[in-house]
Every structure is written in structure tokens, then in C-alpha cells.
Amino acid sequence: MTDATHAPAAGSNALTRSWGWIRTLDARYLIAFLITLVLVAAQLRYHMFGSYDRLLLALAVCMATEAILSGFDRGRVVNLLSAYISGISLTLLVKPQGGALWPFVLGGILAISSKYVLRYRDNHLWNPTNFAVTALLLAAPERVSVLSHQFGNDLTTNLVIWGFGLVIAARVGVLHITLTYVASFLLLNGLRALALGQAVMPEIAPITGPMYQLFVFFMITDPRTVVRERRHQIVVAVVIAMMETLIRFASDMAWPLPTAFNVAPAFLALALVGPIAKWLDLRAGFPNNPRHA
Amino acid sequence: MAVPFLAAILLAMRLNRGPIRTVADAARPGFVLRDETARAGIAFTHRRPTFDPRIAGIEPHVAALGASVSVTDFDGDDWPDLYFTNSRFGAPNALYRNRGDGTFEEVGGTVGLADLNRAGEGVSMGAVWGDFDNDGREDVAVYRYGFLSLFRNVDGRRFEDVTAGAGLRRWVNSNGAIWLDYDRDGLLDLYVTAYFRDVDLWHLTTTRIMHDSFEFATNGGTNLLFHNLGDGKFEDVTDRMGVGSTRWTMAAASADFNDDGWPDIYLANDYGPEELYLNDGGRRFILTTAGLESESKSGMSVTLGDAFNRGRLDAFVTNISERGYLFQNNNLRLNQMPEAGRFRNVAEGEIADAGWAWGAQFGDFNNDGANELFVVNGFISANRDKNYWYSMSKIAGANARFFEDAATWPPFGDASLSGYERSRVYLNRGLAGWIDVAATVGVTDLYDGRAVALADLSNRGALDVIVANQNQPAVLYRSYPDSANHWIALKLVGTRSNRSAIGAEVVLESGDLTQRRIVDGGSGFASQNDRRVHFGLGSREWVDRVIIRWPSGTRQVVMRPPIDGFVTVTEPER
């Protein structure tokens, strides 16, 4: 009886201690942990990326590019954790024709260099992986595609990634972005289906896929490229979902869009909306900053 | 800072157009293929099935299989004949008898192999030939979405349905079957692959009939192994032998991959990884990964051939690629089983992407001593302006609950899905890789190819190509190789082994050339090649020796056989 009475309290304390420990960790390490978890699970359970050469190549290129460019730009080599996350994301997302390795090389260079080239007021505007993948899809659609499946369509895997993802998103303070986007996706695409007389289920199905798990936990919530205020972050998440719905509508109507829009509408929506929102945010936030005067 | 950034974008755009290296020898492949279908008198058009209206929304997808072709010599005149299957109720299968003068006559109705697509029985998906009763005449097993059938060749002019007596009347929604003698008792056994589980596709009780994963599905039908008892009867030994895969198998092939003297079974599975069942002394099969588990895919066919003249049978497995959407890449698996216990995938560049690829076959079209690869492709060619790939992308990555039910798929309508693709003919350049020369050699059709089989139809030392196209006309490409090259073909006759010699492996040695081939008991997708094995020799003017390992285990060496002709080899009695 006593044991039974105390067990929940002990469990609760353990949970509190764990949460407290998680709160002390640098957010980047948590994100790095999550993406590594996804990678390991994908490889061990699904042998998802086949050979390890693409992983090593993507990591090496991303980290080397970061080291070199930060050395030139700032006179010192910055923490390479961000490059590590980009390297793993590219490994998971990029699916080249014929096992080619060059997309991982060029993707790594594009991801990292975009942070140093496409800047406004000392901030980069695009999530690096989002930029790289979108650029590859637009520049080389005959040779590069993105992960569309390969995660087994398995509920257990979904639940594990969603479970860890939600905890870490809460710790990093971006859970509201994830949830806003998911809710907006479901609502808007449900409405799109109804408006076009289509079945709703296939239109909301993509949100359960692995591409979207990576999208909602690693791209749309990237702390370096989201706008600053919580209220604005929610608005931007809704706008991104609206843009994606518009892209999907265009695909439904067979408008002549580049294939990339049909293949990865969420990535394209973020690539279009995210930088504008960030630019507006930076522009509004530094009116009198003498460094940018 | 901007230099690497811009350079990366420009380089990606350049690489999008293809490899930077130019290819010098693509213009002179050493052979041409001419469409001589009409001249040969072949006028077969496949008709796809129709199913229960409850799955009408995705019927184009479910009904996208069934065009098959198999080569036989049913009348024993040494001229290869052709058997095509049809897949609509009332539409006849066709048996084209080779007249020996370059033309064929259709005799399916006469011999009793035409009217096989009937309500209640199912529709044909393919056929595989072999002399199961060792009477010297080739019999045929027909697999369906429906009941299996076995027809005994009575006298070379008539076939008798012996299915029920053989114990083979089983409903299997099958896309493939192969003959092999897994226990080396001299009798051909039958392995039948299953795709949909054993539902009646015309009278469904549920629409939850689809796969439960796009990469790891295990809810397909159960593959079956039937042991030939030798008295006209077969016994289902699937469970005992451990070969009842439920992975939506599209195709199977058999050979002794690990050189232990027993035939193994290689499976190409849709919605899942390939599988290799190693034969443990005829007592059971052991499922092994052998390096096949990486990047699970959509295996559409498996064919065997000596890709780089190593004296080994390698496996080529076709998969699905669609520019921009999905690159699942074909696999060319080099056989390293004897020394490493695994296959190594070396498919890179052009050979990895043949679109939505189906049947494929290795064959030496230019007789230069190296195998080429013929690959057919294209899934559904309908309205050119409507593409189902976008719809497919919505559900392909989603949770299984969204696509296991056929009723929740976005309806197909008249959309195309990887339609109007051109077949590939890959020239073998050894370590320089494979290059597509289809247009150069004259293969330009845009049909939805399914099965492809190779045969020397005119007994002239040239491998002709027969393609069965889904819901479209069959095509015969006559091959015209460089006349300067030499060749040899062997017809094997089993005595202790099965009479068809199916499963016999032949290694030819001629100077620096070593090449292995196998007598075909079914390979590719819904197809079977000429049972005579054809070797190109290039400029080599003699063969040092031919080593035959018969299915019985007998090893036979033929020294200095004559070239530029057919050689019949009979298995020694002892």
C-alpha cells in the first residue's frame, strides 16, 4: 500500500528531475541528439541510406565548409554542431539517381555557404538544409529527389520520433510552431480536399510521413531562422501552411510548376515564406542598430 | 564567400544534364535490333483484367500486370516457340509455333492452351515451361490471379489439364513461377510466387487488400513450393522447406549462388527488400540477408547473368525510378556468396535508372563475349497530360493505414503513371560501366513493357528479343549482331537430372574468356528464356572447354566443341 502510494510520487520526481536536466542542456545538443536518433533508427531498422559513404561525405563536407567559411568570416572556427545537423539531415533527405554522391557534396556546400552568403543584418535567412534541398530539387530535378518514404510507414517509428520530437521542441521553446503548423496543415488541406471534391484522407496523409517529421522538428522550428516573437512565429507557421496548401492546390489543378513543387511542397513553402518573414523581422527589429545603419 | 555557393548551384545545374564525361563507343554497339513482329506473323495484343467495382478507383494500378512471354519448344522440332498470356475473361492466350522460316502460326486454341481466362478460374499472369514428367516433351504451368494450372504435353500437338490430379488446384494471386529441382531427385519442382493474398479480386469482401508498407510489407500472399513426387502428383512443402515468404513477390529466379551444389531461390519483392533462400542440402531453405537488405525497394524482376565474366551468376533486380519523385535505383548485385556470403550492389549511373523498370534479361546481343542487358519499362500509359505521381506521393510516405485500404487511394481516373517510357538496352563496357544504346540499335517503342525473353528464333547465332506489353501489342525484335564475331549454343538433355536440364550451370572457357550461364527455369518478370544457352565468343575461334554442372550434381567437361553452331550435350548416365 505504501509502495503503491509512493510510486507515482517517485515517478513524478524522476520525471521532474529529467525535465530539469533536459532544461540545462544547450538546445543545439538536444536537436543534434534527436536528429542522430532519427538517423540511427532509420538505419538500424530500415537500412535507410544503404552505404555509409554518403553519411561520411555529407558530414565531412558540411563541417569542413563551416570551418573554412567561419574562419574566413569571423577569424575563428565556430561550433560545428549546426553543420553536423545539416549533414545528417541531408543524408536522410537527399535521394540521388543511381547512388550518385555529388548531391551530398554540393548539398553540403550549398547548405553551409548559404548561411554566409544569403544574409541580412548578420543573420542567415534560410534554414540551411531547407535551402540546400530546395536548391538541388530546382537545379537538378533529373538527378535528385527527396525522401518520400523509406521509413516503413510504421506507426511505432512515427510515435518514437514524435514523442522525442515533442519533448525536445518543448524544451527548445518551439513546440507552438510545430503544433500550429500541424493544425494548420490538417485544417487547410482538409478544406482544400472538400473544396475540390476530393477525399480528405489522402490529402492529410502526408503529415504522417517521415519527410514531415523532419520538417516539423528540424526545419520549420530552426531557432536561428524563425522570427523572434512567439505571436509572429505562430503567424508565420500558419502562412507557411497556407503557402503549402496553395502549392498543393496548384498541383491538383496541374498547373505547370517545376517538379520540386509537387514533390516537396512543404520545403518549397518554407523556402518561399521563411526568408521573407525573417527579413521583415530583422528589418523591424534593428531600426537603429548603428552596425547596420 | 559567394564563389563556392554559386559554383555549387551552377555545377548542380550542369550535372542535371548528365555525366560530364562523353562516351565514345555508344555509336558502335556491334548489333542492331529490328522490329519484325508483323513480318513474323505475331499479332498478339494483351488485354488487362477488370476487377470488383469496389476497387475501381485504383483498378488501373491493380490490373497493371499479366502480360507475359515464355519460350518453349513444345513440338520438339528444335525451333523455339512463343507463349503469351492474356488477362481478361474471354481473351485467349496465344501459342505461336515457329515454322522455321522466320514466321509463326498461332496454335493456342488447337493445342488447348488458349481458353484459360474464365470467370471463376481467374486470369493468366504468366506461364513457365518444363518437362515435369521427363517424357521428353515440355509441359507448362500457368499461374493466374486465380487457380494454378498444369498442362501435360501429350504428344507435341495437344495439352491435357492435369492440375487436379497433380494436387495443384490452388488459388494463388501470382505473378511468377519457376521450375527447379531443389532436392536433386531428377524431377522438376514448382515454386509459385504470390502477390495479393488469396482474395477473390472479382468478389471482394473487403477493400483492405493493399500492402501495409511501401518498403517492408509482409501482408502479401504466401509463396508456395510444390515437390514433384514423380507419379504425376505434387506435394505442398512450403512450410517444411521454409520458403513461404509473404512479401508481395514479383519474381523469382534460382541458381546455386554459393556453389554448394544445391539450387537457391532469389526473390524480387515489391514493397520490400529482396530475399535469398539458401538451400541447405535439399532439406530446407534458410532465409539469409546476404547484403540484400539495404535500401529496401520495389523489386519488379530478377534476372541472372555473368555481368563481368567472372564465372559467376550475378543478379540484376529492376526497381522504380521517376525523375524528380523517386530514385529507387535498379540493383546489379555481384555474387560474392562463395567467398563472402553476400552480394555487392554495383549499379551506378545509367544502369541504375531505367524508369519504372520491369522485365530484364542478360544476353550477348553482339556476340562479343560480354553480356548486354535488355530492360523493359513503363507502368501505365494513359492520358499524357495527367500524372498520378503527385497523388502517389501523398500516400506513399504516409502511415500504412492510409493506403492499405484500396478505397482510400486517390482515384486514378485516366492518369498516367510512369507511362510512355522507352526500353533500355545497356551495352556492357566492363569496368567503364554500362551505357544505354537503345535508340542506336533501334529500340524506340514506348509500350508498357512487362516481360522480356530472349531466344535464337532462327537458329542463326543471334539472340532475338520478345517483349510482352501490358494491354498493348507484343513486339519481336530480331537481332543482327556483328557477323565477324563467333558464337556457340548448347542444348542440354538431362538423364539423371530433369530432362529439360533446368538449373544446369554451364561455364565456358575460351582463352581469356570465362562465362557462366544457366538453363532457365523462369527468370526476369513473368518470362522464361530459350532453354538453350548461347555464348558470344568475339573473335575467338575456338572454345577450350565447356564445364557443365548438371542439377543432379554430375560434372561434365566437353573439350573443344565446334563453334558457330548448336551443340547438343546429353548428361552422362553415370
Side-chain angles (χ1 to χ4, degrees):
Chain A
M1 186 69 185
T2 307
D3 287 344
T5 308
H6 285 116
S12 173
N13 287 339
L15 203 62
T16 308
R17 279 199 302 276
S18 299
W19 180 247
W21 178 74
I22 288 173
R23 287 180 65 83
T24 63
L25 287 175
D26 184 330
R28 288 176 301 177
Y29 289 99
L30 287 173
I31 295 170
F33 165 74
L34 180 59
I35 193 85
T36 306
L37 175 76
V38 172
L39 179 91
V40 171
Q43 181 62 2
L44 290 183
R45 190 172 168 97
Y46 304 118
H47 304 279
M48 205 187 80
F49 52 86
S51 63
Y52 287 88
D53 48 5
R54 62 192 65 181
L55 171 65
L56 297 175
L57 199 58
L59 284 174
V61 169
C62 285
M63 295 170 88
T65 307
E66 184 89 283
I68 293 168
L69 294 185
S70 63
F72 273 112
D73 188 52
R74 301 178 193 177
R76 64 182 175 83
V77 175
V78 299
N79 187 323
L80 298 179
L81 207 56
S82 168
Y84 170 82
I85 294 168
S86 296
I88 290 187
S89 300
L90 286 171
T91 306
L92 286 167
L93 285 169
V94 173
K95 296 293 286 183
Q97 180 198 42
L101 293 174
W102 64 261
F104 298 99
V105 176
L106 297 186
I109 293 172
L110 283 170
I112 304 303
S113 62
S114 74
K115 295 197 294 185
Y116 295 87
V117 176
L118 304 173
R119 298 162 70 92
Y120 179 65
R121 291 184 170 175
D122 261 358
N123 281 272
H124 59 272
L125 300 174
W126 271 271
N127 167 268
T129 308
N130 175 250
F131 180 84
V133 171
T134 306
L136 285 174
L137 285 175
L138 289 169
E142 298 283 299
R143 311 293 163 192
V144 179
S145 186
V146 288
L147 168 74
S148 57
H149 50 287
Q150 296 280 342
F151 260 75
N153 316 95
D154 180 8
L155 186 62
T156 311
T157 310
N158 275 359
L159 290 176
V160 169
I161 295 174
W162 274 94
F164 276 98
L166 290 171
V167 169
I168 291 171
R171 160 63 187 89
V172 178
V174 293
L175 182 61
H176 58 284
I177 300 176
T178 298
L179 295 179
T180 301
Y181 171 79
V182 171
S184 303
F185 177 94
L186 293 173
L187 177 67
L188 291 169
N189 286 288
L191 289 174
R192 177 176 63 84
L194 293 174
L196 293 173
Q198 300 172 161
V200 172
M201 293 291 271
E203 306 308 321
I204 62 172
I207 198 76
T208 64
M211 193 164 73
Y212 276 82
Q213 290 168 23
L214 296 171
F215 182 71
V216 297
F217 290 123
F218 300 105
M219 280 190 188
I220 198 172
T221 54
D222 176 8
R224 296 298 304 275
T225 52
V226 296
V227 296
R228 283 161 301 168
E229 289 186 25
R230 182 185 176 91
R231 186 164 49 90
H232 293 167
Q233 290 171 348
I234 290 173
V235 170
V236 172
V238 172
V239 174
I240 291 169
M242 290 171 68
M243 175 60 78
E244 183 189 354
T245 306
L246 185 63
I247 293 171
R248 286 189 175 276
F249 177 80
S251 298
D252 288 329
M253 304 306 288
W255 292 355
L257 296 171
T259 310
F261 285 81
N262 299 332
V263 174
F267 289 7
L268 268 292
L270 176 61
L272 291 170
V273 173
I276 296 172
K278 185 69 178 175
W279 180 77
L280 289 172
D281 186 52
L282 291 168
R283 187 164 175 268
F286 295 92
N288 302 313
N289 187 338
R291 192 175 168 188
H292 299 287
Chain B
M1 218 50 93
V3 171
F5 177 77
L6 291 172
I9 291 179
L10 292 173
L11 191 54
M13 293 170 71
R14 170 61 192 86
L15 289 167
N16 186 51
R17 299 208 303 269
I20 290 173
R21 281 176 302 151
T22 56
V23 179
D25 50 356
R28 291 184 292 106
F31 66 103
V32 293
L33 295 167
R34 294 188 188 129
D35 181 349
E36 296 188 4
T37 317
R39 182 184 296 182
I42 294 173
F44 177 80
T45 298
H46 175 262
R47 295 297 176 209
R48 72 175 176 87
T50 56
F51 294 123
D52 190 317
R54 296 175 68 187
I55 57 170
I58 60 165
E59 187 175 274
H61 181 108
V62 178
L65 304 172
S68 86
V69 59
S70 45
V71 180
T72 182
D73 179 12
F74 78 94
D75 53 0
D77 63 358
D78 285 335
W79 293 96
D81 312 304
L82 304 173
Y83 187 56
F84 296 94
T85 58
N86 224 322
S87 308
R88 181 168 295 180
F89 290 144
N93 297 350
L95 177 62
Y96 282 93
R97 193 182 78 83
N98 191 336
R99 290 191 179 108
D101 61 357
T103 66
F104 292 78
E105 62 175 329
E106 206 287 298
V107 298
T110 310
V111 302
L113 291 179
D115 183 24
L116 304 188
N117 305 307
R118 299 187 299 268
E121 293 292 308
V123 294
S124 302
M125 289 287 129
V128 64
W129 295 76
D131 185 359
F132 80 88
D133 53 3
N134 288 335
D135 67 352
R137 287 182 287 272
E138 295 232 316
D139 313 298
V140 61
V142 177
Y143 45 93
R144 298 183 171 100
Y145 282 180
F147 285 109
L148 282 174
S149 285
L150 179 65
F151 294 90
R152 192 175 76 84
N153 188 336
V154 178
D155 54 5
R157 293 189 294 274
R158 185 170 61 86
F159 286 79
E160 173 189 9
D161 187 342
V162 295
T163 312
L168 290 173
R169 188 166 168 78
R170 292 277 293 272
W171 186 285
V172 193
N173 292 313
S174 172
N175 289 317
I178 56 172
W179 292 108
L180 75 163
D181 181 6
Y182 77 86
D183 57 351
R184 302 194 339 195
D185 63 355
L187 297 167
L188 283 174
D189 310 304
L190 184 64
Y191 188 68
V192 181
T193 69
Y195 195 66
F196 291 97
R197 61 181 185 270
D198 55 357
V199 295
D200 181 340
L201 290 163
W202 294 267
H203 304 94
L204 291 170
T205 56
T206 174
T207 53
R208 297 188 72 82
I209 61 168
M210 304 301 283
H211 43 287
D212 59 4
S213 168
F214 268 89
E215 305 92 35
F216 300 94
T218 54
N219 66 333
T222 304
N223 294 351
L224 301 170
L225 177 61
F226 295 100
H227 180 222
N228 188 340
L229 300 175
D231 56 356
K233 291 186 169 55
F234 288 75
E235 175 192 12
D236 182 348
V237 294
T238 308
D239 293 338
R240 192 196 329 155
M241 299 305 294
V243 287
S245 175
T246 57
R247 277 197 181 275
W248 295 81
T249 304
M250 276 289 193
S254 175
D256 178 13
F257 296 109
N258 57 357
D259 242 357
D260 67 350
W262 297 88
D264 313 305
I265 298 174
Y266 195 117
L267 302 181
N269 297 316
D270 199 0
Y271 314 121
E274 297 143 44
E275 290 178 306
L276 177 65
Y277 286 91
L278 290 179
N279 190 333
D280 180 16
R283 296 180 294 271
R284 58 178 180 152
F285 285 84
I286 299 168
L287 179 60
T288 178
T289 53
L292 309 180
E293 71 280 12
S294 292
E295 293 192 84
S296 90
K297 299 181 179 176
S298 306
M300 299 285 113
S301 76
V302 53
T303 189
L304 308 178
D306 193 343
F308 297 112
N309 290 345
R310 301 177 308 133
R312 292 272 175 82
L313 287 174
D314 309 305
F316 182 69
V317 178
T318 55
N319 275 285
I320 301 171
S321 287
E322 171 70 13
R323 303 283 167 99
Y325 282 94
L326 186 67
F327 291 113
Q328 289 194 313
N329 302 324
N330 303 322
N331 295 326
L332 176 56
R333 309 265 195 195
L334 290 194
N335 180 358
Q336 299 179 334
M337 290 299 295
E339 68 273 23
R342 59 188 289 113
F343 285 80
R344 185 163 69 95
N345 185 22
V346 296
E348 291 181 348
E350 292 195 26
I351 199 173
D353 177 4
W356 192 315
W358 287 95
Q361 296 293 354
F362 285 102
D364 189 352
F365 297 119
N366 53 14
N367 282 338
D368 68 347
N371 275 311
E372 279 70 51
L373 255 173
F374 195 106
V375 184
V376 298
N377 54 12
F379 190 39
I380 299 169
S381 296
N383 189 329
R384 286 178 180 269
D385 298 324
K386 294 182 183 174
N387 186 352
Y388 193 78
W389 266 105
Y390 167 61
S391 298
M392 180 75 97
S393 72
K394 295 175 187 172
I395 55 168
N399 188 268
R401 298 179 66 84
F402 288 94
F403 53 78
E404 197 174 355
D405 188 344
T408 61
W409 285 51
F412 252 80
D414 63 345
S416 289
L417 182 61
S418 290
Y420 304 102
E421 293 187 334
R422 53 178 188 78
S423 300
R424 308 289 206 274
V425 183
Y426 291 110
L427 186 69
N428 189 343
R429 300 180 304 154
L431 295 177
W434 304 70
I435 184 162
D436 179 26
V437 295
T440 307
V441 302
V443 175
T444 56
D445 75 80
L446 298 178
Y447 291 135
D448 292 335
R450 290 294 177 273
V452 56
L454 308 183
D456 185 349
L457 295 174
S458 301
N459 295 342
R460 63 201 164 97
L463 279 181
D464 304 310
V465 182
I466 311 98
V467 181
N469 297 301
Q470 182 72 12
N471 213 36
Q472 289 167 331
V475 174
L476 162 61
Y477 286 108
R478 291 255 190 217
S479 177
Y480 294 91
D482 186 336
S483 59
N485 288 337
H486 298 286
W487 59 280
I488 182 173
L490 293 99
K491 177 183 177 183
L492 305 187
V493 180
T495 55
R496 298 169 63 199
S497 304
N498 69 86
R499 183 76 175 252
S500 302
I502 284 172
E505 298 192 16
V506 182
V507 176
L508 175 140
E509 295 176 356
S510 172
D512 62 341
L513 171 65
T514 299
Q515 195 176 80
R516 182 180 293 240
R517 294 192 182 278
I518 186 168
V519 178
D520 190 16
S523 65
F525 175 77
S527 60
Q528 187 178 21
N529 295 311
D530 195 339
R531 242 74 72 238
R532 303 172 302 180
V533 289
H534 171 105
F535 293 89
L537 300 173
S539 58
R540 300 168 188 86
E541 295 184 339
W542 65 84
V543 171
D544 296 321
R545 61 177 185 167
V546 170
I547 305 165
I548 302 167
R549 198 173 67 196
W550 295 86
S552 63
T554 304
R555 183 175 181 273
Q556 182 178 9
V557 179
V558 180
M559 302 298 293
R560 290 285 182 129
I563 64 168
D564 295 328
F566 287 84
V567 177
T568 299
V569 181
T570 302
E571 182 183 19
E573 293 283 352
R574 278 278 338 140

